[in-house]
Amino acid sequence: CTSFTSPARDKITFDNSMADVAISIVASLVERLLGPAIREGKCFLCVNKFIGDLENEKKELVIERDNLLDRVEQAKHRTEEIEKPVEMWLNDVKNLLEQVEDLEQMMRANTSCFQGQCPTWKRYRLCKQIVKKIELIGKFKGKSNIQPFSHRAPLPGIQYPSSENFIYFESTKVANSELLEALQDDDIYMIGVYGMGGTGKTTLVTEVAKKVEASKIFDKAILVT
């Protein structure tokens, strides 16, 4: 079989392809030229819509911020430390919400602008700030679920004072030995030290705590007053 190609048909196909390319280029140019103009025009025609959008976006971000603060408070009750990225998110959102509040105060002070009673450039400038804040809020919304969120804080232990002046009397030595022995007895869960006020009970227990940590009987000794 022999196939034949029509020159006229090839020319039509080629012309159609060139037309598609030309249309695509023109459409791209129109979008680039008119797109910014359309967006800028919305600042004049849709001011009230942008104000409403800003209020809604702000409310949603505040709810997200408050939920995260609740999680932070719960973690701190568990004696956990909050990860730095979580603190950074909260700090950035705090600053952004303060900026939004400043802008809202400016808007309330210039209500006539949004009723068409002030110069167009001033109304345009305020609207541009509103749009920018809406975009910034969008960058933080839905980003508060940061992992890892927190980690267990290390036990502080006791900040031991100097024991250079601590004197072991005979009774103190006996109490010291009894305490160390009791601390190594797995069947004992609570130990009481009693005596007259000012006889050095707290100092004795602190000295024993030093020895407990040094000898690795316990990992940490914590002093609670």
Side-chain angles (χ1 to χ4, degrees), residues 145-168:
N145 189 24
I146 301 169
Q147 298 298 331
F149 179 78
S150 61
H151 60 271
R152 183 174 296 177
L155 293 174
I158 297 178
Q159 300 297 316
Y160 298 112
S162 173
S163 59
E164 293 179 357
N165 298 324
F166 183 68
I167 301 175
Y168 280 94

Side-chain angles (χ1 to χ4, degrees), residues 27-55:
S28 178
L29 288 172
V30 169
E31 182 179 355
R32 291 183 181 181
L33 293 173
L34 295 183
I38 293 173
R39 288 193 296 271
E40 298 298 321
K42 287 182 178 179
C43 282
F44 295 103
L45 303 176
C46 306
V47 175
N48 291 331
K49 178 183 182 302
F50 286 133
I51 294 174
D53 290 345
L54 178 63
E55 183 63 25

Side-chain angles (χ1 to χ4, degrees), residues 42-83:
K42 287 182 178 179
C43 282
F44 295 103
L45 303 176
C46 306
V47 175
N48 291 331
K49 178 183 182 302
F50 286 133
I51 294 174
D53 290 345
L54 178 63
E55 183 63 25
N56 292 333
E57 293 291 297
K58 175 190 170 184
K59 286 180 180 178
E60 292 179 6
L61 185 60
V62 167
I63 291 172
E64 188 171 352
R65 189 263 330 257
D66 290 347
N67 289 338
L68 186 60
L69 287 174
D70 287 341
R71 291 179 59 198
V72 167
E73 194 64 27
Q74 293 170 14
K76 288 182 177 179
H77 281 313
R78 298 192 298 268
T79 66
E80 295 178 359
E81 293 183 350
I82 307 304
E83 296 290 344

Side-chain angles (χ1 to χ4, degrees), residues 9-197:
R9 180 173 297 174
D10 287 346
K11 184 176 185 302
I12 292 172
T13 302
F14 178 75
D15 289 344
N16 288 338
S17 298
M18 289 298 293
D20 291 340
V21 172
I23 291 172
S24 177
I25 293 173
V26 171
S28 178
L29 288 172
V30 169
E31 182 179 355
R32 291 183 181 181
L33 293 173
L34 295 183
I38 293 173
R39 288 193 296 271
E40 298 298 321
K42 287 182 178 179
C43 282
F44 295 103
L45 303 176
C46 306
V47 175
N48 291 331
K49 178 183 182 302
F50 286 133
I51 294 174
D53 290 345
L54 178 63
E55 183 63 25
N56 292 333
E57 293 291 297
K58 175 190 170 184
K59 286 180 180 178
E60 292 179 6
L61 185 60
V62 167
I63 291 172
E64 188 171 352
R65 189 263 330 257
D66 290 347
N67 289 338
L68 186 60
L69 287 174
D70 287 341
R71 291 179 59 198
V72 167
E73 194 64 27
Q74 293 170 14
K76 288 182 177 179
H77 281 313
R78 298 192 298 268
T79 66
E80 295 178 359
E81 293 183 350
I82 307 304
E83 296 290 344
K84 291 297 182 184
V86 177
E87 294 179 346
M88 288 176 59
W89 188 94
L90 285 169
N91 187 60
D92 290 342
V93 167
K94 176 178 177 291
N95 292 334
L96 176 56
L97 289 174
E98 288 176 353
Q99 294 172 19
V100 172
E101 179 61 30
D102 290 341
L103 178 58
E104 288 177 335
Q105 289 182 3
M106 191 185 304
M107 290 159 51
R108 287 192 288 269
N110 293 273
T111 52
S112 58
C113 284
F114 303 104
Q115 298 171 359
Q117 299 175 11
C118 74
T120 302
W121 66 267
K122 192 172 184 179
R123 184 165 64 251
Y124 169 78
R125 187 179 63 179
L126 283 172
C127 190
K128 287 285 288 184
Q129 292 182 52
I130 294 171
V131 172
K132 184 177 180 180
K133 289 298 181 286
I134 292 173
E135 292 175 351
L136 286 173
I137 290 175
K139 293 180 179 180
F140 287 97
K141 279 178 53 183
K143 305 292 177 58
S144 63
N145 189 24
I146 301 169
Q147 298 298 331
F149 179 78
S150 61
H151 60 271
R152 183 174 296 177
L155 293 174
I158 297 178
Q159 300 297 316
Y160 298 112
S162 173
S163 59
E164 293 179 357
N165 298 324
F166 183 68
I167 301 175
Y168 280 94
F169 297 102
E170 190 61 34
S171 59
T172 310
K173 292 179 181 178
V174 173
N176 178 81
S177 298
E178 290 179 345
L179 276 172
L180 287 173
E181 182 179 348
L183 286 167
Q184 296 177 76
D185 189 335
D186 291 339
D187 294 328
I188 295 178
Y189 297 94
M190 183 179 293
I191 303 167
V193 179
Y194 64 93
M196 292 177 60

Side-chain angles (χ1 to χ4, degrees), residues 206-217:
T206 302
E207 290 298 314
V208 171
K210 291 183 186 179
K211 296 177 181 178
V212 165
E213 285 192 356
S215 60
K216 302 299 181 183
I217 296 174

